Structure formats: C-alpha cells, structure tokens
C-alpha cells in the first residue's frame, strides 16, 4: 500500500479501543470531532467484568451485554471462613470483555469515529505538525493529529514515549481463566461473586470467581514477580470443582496501582484509562473508572481543540481526582493495612460481617460516591477497624 503524499488529518487519534478509548472516541465524534480509533485486533483484557448500576445508567449499556446479575458477594478468609454480603436492592452487572469491548468500539464507529486495526509505533513532530505512526498489514502508516490520546493500557507505549516517569508506574499483574460452567458440581453460584483473601492465592491482592452466565472468570493478581498466578488459579479451580469446566481462554495483563501525577505532556498528548493509572486500589475495579476517564479526557480534548490552549488537557486529571481521589486514597490505605498477611486478611474478612460495613460498601460501590449522611456508622466502622487492627477482638 502506498502512502499518500499528504497524510490524513484527524482532530484526535485515540490509541487503544478498550472502555476508556472507545468512550473517548464516541464522545469526541458526537462533539463533531474527526477521530481515528486505533486498536490492536483480538486483544482481550483479563477482567472480572463487574459493572455498577452507575455505569449502566451513565453510559447507556443495553441489557443484552449484561451476562449475569449479581445479588451478593462472598468473602472467603485464609481459614476458609465465609462472609456473605447481600447487595440489597438492585444488582451488580457482569460483562464479558470479549463482547463488551467490541460493542463499545462499534458504538464509536456509529457515532462517526473511524476505526482501524493497527499497532502504535511512535509520535513524530515536524514544522509544528504532530504525526502518529502505526503499523498495519505489515506496513507503516502515518496520519496527522492535533491531539494523540493514549488509552493503550498500563504499559502504554504512548505514555512511555511521551509522559516523563510513565515507565516507573507501579503495577500488579492480573491473570484469569474463562471457564465453561460445569454441567454439575462446582462451588459457585450464578448470582454471587466469590472473593478469596488468601495468601496462597495472592500474597498482596485477592483471587476471584465471578460468574458470566454460561462461563465463569477465575482470576487472581499480584505485584510479586516470583508468585505463580497460573498455579494459584489451578489450585483454586481444583478446590472449588471448577477444574471440571472446559477452559475457554486465558488472559493476563498488568494493572496500574496508582494514578499518574500527570496525564498530559502539556502539548499534544493526553492519557486516560489504565494508561493514566486509573484502576481502583484494593479492588482492582477499572471499567467504570476507565469509561469515566475516557469521558473526562474527551471533554478536556474538546476544550483544547476549541481554544488551542494545552493547559486545558490537565482538566481531565484534575476533575477525575476531585471526584474520586479521596476514594482511591482510602482504598490504597486499606490495601496497605489489610492485605499484608493472612492474619490481617482474616480480620478484614471478619469486619465484612458488620452490617454498617456492608451497607456503606455497597452504597459507595453502586453509586460511586462516598456516603456522608451516616456519621455514626462511619464512627462505628472506624473503631471496629482499630479493634481488629490492634487485635483487641478475635477475628
């Protein structure tokens, strides 16, 4: 294929077609911007797939993408103690990224974004013009862009090339296996998420069994490079009877542990999603935050394109952290306090029996807002946390 003498020009080239990139591309196209959505074909991110009602509502997700409706979560301690946390009214939706992400990309295309399969290679600049170079069909291609948006994962090639300090982003590696639901047996329920806080399954995170209708996501994660995630999943499947299910696919990828201090280069590059580090600590939740990050990035990009002022790009991070920075800080502290060893994990699961903890946890998760209207409940939780942390009570 011969490149044209003058490359095509886009307002924004979005690199990465996951929830963040596809949402940003959709919103920008709806704003009337000319958008190229560049994505690697066939990549599926390992993900439990939980989506709160807030996401389903805010991003107009149709019912057919919800493969399961979760009514409770079960926490399993190192000593195999089980604590059930009913959702109450409503449900937590589950999606399968194999189908969810392509649907988001199709929505972006229907909104007017141009989608191409290709691998980002580099950004070059010449005479004030920004060019994006990518490889597709065995050849290098290039297009011009007023803005490059990196939504290409925790190890973002865009971020590593363009944002100082990105290569030093702390990460946890996640791995899961999608398993066909066994015809009989198996310790799981189709409307319950199981979360295992056990050092043998993850020394610093957790393992999970999340139902997806006809299939099940069985996964874990760890920042410890010497820990065998595959062995942990093999043991978890064997102990729960899920080794009888056929393995549909296996997926692994890094997840960021903390939002980057800067998401833009002050010129012509802006990051969002995992590339910007917006995955919730402790829980690893990323879909809602990725889609919100994509939306905020699109709005910042539109402001930059309207004004030509690169300072507008910083509003994406500023607005996100104003909304969720406090939640991320609390979750990061919680992970540091409770995930360090099995003794603390045992106490953490014990705390989850508390009805105040359960109600405030679900209220915050379902609506993505800290509950401020119940100061007495917050105070009770604080003192119960202290009692368990200093071992004044038995787990």
């Amino acid at each position: 294929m011969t490149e044209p003498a003058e490359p095509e020009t886009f307002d924004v080239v979005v690199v990465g077609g996951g929830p963040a990139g596809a949402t940003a591309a959709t919103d920008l196209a709806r704003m009337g911007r000319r958008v190229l959505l560049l994505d690697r074909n066939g990549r599926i991110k390992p993900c439990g797939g939980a989506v709160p009602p807030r996401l389903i509502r805010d991003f107009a997700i149709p019912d057919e993408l919800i493969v399961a409706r979760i009514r409770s979560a079960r926490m399993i301690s190192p000593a195999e103690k089980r604590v059930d946390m009913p959702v109450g009214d409503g449900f937590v939706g589950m999606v399968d990224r194999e189908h969810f992400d392509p649907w988001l990309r199709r929505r972006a295309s229907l909104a007017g974004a141009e989608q191409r399969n290709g691998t980002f290679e580099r950004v070059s600049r010449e005479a004030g013009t920004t060019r994006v170079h990518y490889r597709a069909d065995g050849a290098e291609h290039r297009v011009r862009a007023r803005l490059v948006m990196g939504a290409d994962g925790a190890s973002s090639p865009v971020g590593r090339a363009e944002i100082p300090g990105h290569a030093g982003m702390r990460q946890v590696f996640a791995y899961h296996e999608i398993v066909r639901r066994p015809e009989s047996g198996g310790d799981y329920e189709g409307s319950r998420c199981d979360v295992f806080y056990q050092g043998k399954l993850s020394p610093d995170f957790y393992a999970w069994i999340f139902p997806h209708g006809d299939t099940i996501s069985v996964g874990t994660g760890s920042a410890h490079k010497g820990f065998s995630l595959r062995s942990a999943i093999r043991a978890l499947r064997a102990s729960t009877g899920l080794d009888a299910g056929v393995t549909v696919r296996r997926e692994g990828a890094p997840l960021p542990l903390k939002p980057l201090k800067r998401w833009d280069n002050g010129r012509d590059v802006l990051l969002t999603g995992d590339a910007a580090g917006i995955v919730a600590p402790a829980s690893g939740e990323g879909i809602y935050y990725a889609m919100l990050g994509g939306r905020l990035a699109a709005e910042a990009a539109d402001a930059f394109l309207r004004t030509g002022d690169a300072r507008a790009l910083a509003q994406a991070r500023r607005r996100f952290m104003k909304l969720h920075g406090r939640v991320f800080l609390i979750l990061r502290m919680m992970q540091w306090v409770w995930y360090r060893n099995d003794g603390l994990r045992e106490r953490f699961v014990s705390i989850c029996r508390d009805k105040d903890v359960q109600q405030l946890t679900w209220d915050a998760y379902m609506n993505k807002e800290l509950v401020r209207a119940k100061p007495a409940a917050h105070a009770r939780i604080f003192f119960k946390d202290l009692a368990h942390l200093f071992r004044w009570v038995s787990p």
Side-chain angles (χ1 to χ4, degrees):
M1 179 178 177
T2 303
E3 286 285 327
E6 288 297 325
E8 295 173 272
T9 299
F10 293 88
D11 291 316
V12 183
V13 173
V14 180
V15 181
T23 299
T26 299
D27 287 1
L28 283 164
R30 288 174 175 172
M31 294 171 187
R33 301 298 179 182
R34 190 175 185 211
V35 181
L36 172 61
L37 178 58
L38 184 66
D39 190 59
R40 288 189 299 165
N41 193 28
R43 178 179 178 272
I44 307 171
K45 180 184 173 183
C47 178
V51 294
R54 177 74 182 269
L55 181 150
I56 297 170
R57 180 176 67 249
D58 287 0
F59 297 97
I61 303 304
D63 285 346
E64 59 263 27
L65 288 176
I66 307 301
V67 296
R69 286 167 167 76
I70 300 304
R71 307 291 180 178
S72 69
R74 173 172 288 182
M75 310 299 177
I76 298 98
S77 78
E80 298 293 336
K81 293 180 181 178
R82 286 158 165 73
V83 174
D84 287 336
M85 298 178 62
V87 172
D89 295 335
F91 64 89
V92 175
M94 302 298 293
V95 298
D96 188 330
R97 296 289 293 274
E98 181 182 16
H99 307 293
F100 185 68
D101 289 19
W103 184 89
L104 292 175
R105 290 192 286 270
R106 285 194 297 272
R107 181 160 69 174
S109 297
L110 291 172
E114 183 170 343
Q115 183 187 344
R116 297 179 189 172
N117 293 323
T119 303
F120 168 85
E121 292 202 329
R122 60 193 173 94
V123 173
S124 66
R125 298 171 181 90
E126 183 180 335
T129 300
T130 302
R131 289 180 171 85
V132 176
H133 301 252
Y134 67 96
R135 183 161 292 276
D137 301 322
E140 182 178 290
H141 305 262
R142 57 195 170 92
V143 296
R144 291 185 294 199
R146 296 176 63 189
L147 178 69
V148 183
M149 188 177 295
D152 48 344
S155 298
S156 166
V158 175
R160 290 178 177 236
E162 298 292 331
I163 306 297
H166 192 284
M169 176 191 284
R170 294 183 61 228
Q171 299 176 345
V172 57
F173 199 85
Y175 171 77
H176 80 158
E177 297 178 359
I178 296 293
V179 180
R180 188 73 61 192
R181 187 176 61 198
E183 293 184 5
S184 61
D187 184 14
Y188 73 96
E189 289 184 10
S191 63
R192 186 188 71 213
C193 286
D194 292 348
V195 186
F196 296 79
Y197 294 97
Q198 301 179 347
K200 64 184 180 182
L201 298 177
S202 172
D204 54 338
F205 200 55
Y206 64 83
W208 69 83
I209 295 175
F210 286 1
H212 286 179
D214 291 336
T215 60
I216 304 166
S217 167
V218 186
T220 188
S222 178
H224 291 211
K225 293 183 178 179
F227 183 77
S228 174
L229 302 177
R230 287 177 178 261
S231 296
I233 294 307
R234 186 162 54 248
L236 179 57
R237 289 181 62 177
S239 67
T240 56
L242 293 178
D243 52 350
V246 174
T247 302
V248 177
R249 63 182 194 267
R250 298 178 174 88
E251 295 147 1
L255 298 177
L257 291 175
K258 185 178 179 181
L260 290 175
K261 292 183 178 180
R262 183 164 188 141
W263 297 359
D264 69 279
N265 67 350
R267 181 179 182 180
D268 56 6
V269 173
L270 174 63
L271 303 181
T272 191
D274 285 12
I278 46 180
V279 170
S283 70
E285 183 191 358
I287 300 178
Y288 171 78
Y289 295 114
M291 295 182 74
L292 174 65
R295 177 152 291 172
L296 296 178
E299 292 170 0
D302 184 63
F304 163 69
L305 294 170
R306 280 188 286 105
T307 64
D309 187 348
R311 290 176 295 182
L313 298 174
Q315 78 180 31
R317 185 186 190 279
R318 186 165 55 247
R319 292 176 63 197
F320 183 92
M321 297 305 291
K322 183 177 181 180
L323 288 169
H324 298 290
R326 186 180 177 197
V327 172
F328 275 40
L329 176 61
I330 291 170
L331 290 173
R332 192 160 58 248
M333 292 172 61
M334 187 184 84
Q335 182 173 355
W336 181 82
V337 169
W338 296 113
Y339 289 16
R340 287 179 291 168
N341 58 59
D342 274 354
L344 289 168
R345 294 185 192 98
E346 196 72 41
R347 292 177 179 275
F348 172 72
V349 172
S350 179
I351 289 171
C352 292
R353 294 193 185 99
D354 188 273
K355 298 304 179 184
D356 289 328
V357 170
Q358 293 186 12
Q359 183 174 353
L360 291 177
T361 297
W362 284 124
D363 285 349
Y365 174 80
M366 303 282 270
N367 300 303
K368 293 301 167 211
E369 294 177 353
L370 286 176
V371 181
R372 304 176 186 276
K374 301 176 181 178
H378 282 290
R380 287 195 297 271
I381 291 170
F382 173 75
F383 287 113
K384 289 170 185 173
D385 279 355
L386 286 182
H388 279 277
L389 186 60
F390 290 104
R391 305 189 181 210
W392 297 332
V393 295
S394 300

